[in-house]
Amino acid sequence: MTAHDVEPDSVVHPGKPVTVDRYTVGARINHWITAASLILLALSGLALFHPSLFFLSGLFGGGQFTRFIHPWIGVVLFFSFFGLFIRFWKANLWKREDGAWLTRFRDVLANHEENVPEVGKYNAGQKFVFWAMSVLIIILISSGLVIWDQYFSAYTTVGQQRVALLIHAIAAVAMIGVWIIHAYSALWVRGTIPAMIRGSVTGGWAWRHHRKWLRELVTKPGGRSGSKPAE
């Protein structure tokens, strides 16, 4: 990450404690729409996946409405995540320090981040989640359109629909796995979820987990509000 990669609206605010802007209001709304869509898709998709899970369709008013609403939630997810992609793709490009971060992954798990190389706004694990979700959502929307009988059955064969259904199911299971990793990591790293709720983190949190990002913010023009140095 260079100084030019740092978001113009990310600012370090001196105080006790120091606070750092991490997510704008728009980014947070975008994120939670995406998260809600993923949860609703997982529940409705599982209801349609196997008879033993059909009871989940009761959350959506029954099987018929579940079949109707599931693809439309998928459309919402696609456009919502597209908004996140436009916002964050640049910050998730692979950097040299990401490879070094991976080699010290045991230290990350052991909570010894003082031994881990400094990283920018996102570490290698977060970037993996971002790009995995990007690829899986493309696969899900593409295969989903093929099996969306109401609008696209006239343009595909039964064989194509069967293959698309298999791909869709595999991608959905993989997506649920990635989402679980993402949610667990957010709970494990204290302060991550509050950051996506209120939009800011403490200077201590930024220094511990994303030190290179904090350095870039502090040294960029206009990166600090007020005259006091970041603590």
Side-chain angles (χ1 to χ4, degrees), residues 6-7 13 15 19 33-34 44 47 53 57 59 82 102 114 121 123 133 136 148 150-151 160 162 175 192 194 219:
V6 179
E7 301 89 335
H13 302 279
T19 59
I33 290 174
T34 301
S44 57
L53 299 172
S57 65
L59 298 172
F82 182 73
L102 285 175
E114 66 277 4
K121 187 170 185 178
N123 59 43
M133 290 186 66
L136 289 169
W148 198 349
Q150 185 177 0
Y151 297 106
Q160 290 171 334
R162 288 174 177 170
M175 175 63 84
T192 300
T219 57

Side-chain angles (χ1 to χ4, degrees), residues 161-180:
Q161 292 175 16
R162 288 174 177 170
V163 172
L165 183 60
L166 177 61
I167 294 174
H168 194 78
I170 293 173
V173 172
M175 175 63 84
I176 292 173
V178 171
W179 181 86
I180 291 173

Side-chain angles (χ1 to χ4, degrees), residues 82-101:
F82 182 73
L84 288 179
F85 185 88
I86 295 300
R87 291 175 186 274
F88 299 130
W89 73 270
K90 191 173 184 180
N92 280 279
L93 293 176
W94 194 260
K95 303 291 183 180
R96 181 178 300 177
E97 64 265 17
D98 293 322
W101 187 91

Side-chain angles (χ1 to χ4, degrees), residues 6-184:
V6 179
E7 301 89 335
D9 49 7
S10 294
V11 177
V12 178
H13 302 279
K16 294 185 180 294
V18 171
T19 59
V20 187
D21 297 333
R22 187 160 173 86
Y23 299 110
T24 64
V25 173
R28 282 176 275 154
I29 293 173
N30 199 170
H31 171 271
W32 290 114
I33 290 174
T34 301
S37 299
L38 275 170
I39 293 171
L40 293 174
L41 275 173
L43 292 172
S44 57
L46 288 172
L48 301 172
F49 182 73
H50 193 273
S52 64
L53 299 172
F54 188 71
F55 70 92
L56 292 172
S57 65
L59 298 172
F60 302 90
Q64 185 173 355
F65 190 71
T66 302
R67 293 185 186 92
F68 167 77
I69 199 65
H70 179 78
W72 284 111
I73 299 174
V75 172
V76 173
L77 171 66
F78 175 78
F79 284 106
S80 180
F81 187 81
F82 182 73
L84 288 179
F85 185 88
I86 295 300
R87 291 175 186 274
F88 299 130
W89 73 270
K90 191 173 184 180
N92 280 279
L93 293 176
W94 194 260
K95 303 291 183 180
R96 181 178 300 177
E97 64 265 17
D98 293 322
W101 187 91
L102 285 175
T103 64
R104 309 297 299 186
F105 191 63
R106 287 187 178 180
D107 287 314
V108 176
L109 294 178
N111 208 28
H112 296 310
E113 295 198 45
E114 66 277 4
N115 300 326
V116 178
E118 295 182 7
V119 295
K121 187 170 185 178
Y122 301 109
N123 59 43
Q126 292 168 313
K127 291 179 179 181
F128 164 77
V129 169
F130 178 85
W131 291 109
M133 290 186 66
S134 299
V135 172
L136 289 169
I137 285 176
I138 291 175
I139 294 173
L140 285 168
I141 193 68
S142 301
S143 58
L145 290 175
V146 175
I147 59 178
W148 198 349
D149 289 342
Q150 185 177 0
Y151 297 106
F152 301 102
S153 60
Y155 305 102
T156 57
T157 65
V158 173
Q160 290 171 334
Q161 292 175 16
R162 288 174 177 170
V163 172
L165 183 60
L166 177 61
I167 294 174
H168 194 78
I170 293 173
V173 172
M175 175 63 84
I176 292 173
V178 171
W179 181 86
I180 291 173
I181 292 173
H182 175 61
Y184 178 78

